[in-house]
Amino acid sequence: RSHERPDSRCEVRRVAARGLSPMVLVTIRSSPAEGERDPAALRWGLTPRQESVLDLVASGLSNKQIGARLGIREGTVELHMSAILRKARVESRVAVVAKYWSDAGELRRR
């Protein structure tokens, strides 16, 4: 999708061992390295988990869908969203996504 950032946490490797069919190993880091984190999320002081929640909110997922994707309860997603809204100094999901894309674009242009 053009509105989503590529996920740099995913790595694909071919694995070969004598006597076995060739395989592919996919590894996904649970949180991005400091240099790979989104500048807007760093500027707001979001934790890596809060950044993950915000990325999924920006993708249009509901709290229930985000919880299922991250393996956490819907109530935990709501707590993360409350913290994100407070740190971004906005009052709604729409406002936080708009500010996120605006701040991220501004910081990348610098």
Side-chain angles (χ1 to χ4, degrees):
R1 297 180 201 163
S2 61
H3 66 281
E4 292 179 319
R5 292 182 295 131
D7 192 346
S8 61
R9 296 174 292 163
C10 183
E11 184 178 341
V12 179
R13 295 185 206 176
R14 293 189 185 273
V15 179
R18 194 177 318 158
L20 295 176
S21 301
M23 296 182 207
V24 176
L25 174 67
V26 178
T27 56
I28 301 173
R29 288 191 301 275
S30 60
S31 61
E34 190 68 21
E36 297 174 351
R37 300 224 19 235
D38 187 277
L42 289 171
R43 181 175 171 184
W44 296 351
L46 299 184
T47 66
R49 179 60 101 184
Q50 290 167 348
E51 184 178 355
S52 296
V53 169
L54 182 55
D55 283 341
L56 295 172
V57 167
S59 296
L61 298 181
S62 68
N63 286 353
K64 186 174 185 176
Q65 292 167 322
I66 293 168
R69 177 86 53 97
L70 297 178
I72 59 178
R73 293 180 183 196
E74 188 175 355
T76 303
V77 176
E78 291 170 6
L79 290 174
H80 286 307
M81 277 307 302
S82 294
I84 292 166
L85 294 173
R86 185 180 70 254
K87 289 178 178 183
R89 296 186 176 126
V90 296
E91 294 185 14
S92 72
R93 290 169 79 95
V94 173
V96 79
V97 170
K99 185 172 182 179
Y100 175 64
W101 288 119
S102 173
D103 283 3
E106 177 187 317
L107 290 168
R108 285 187 188 108
R109 284 190 293 272
R110 289 183 184 173

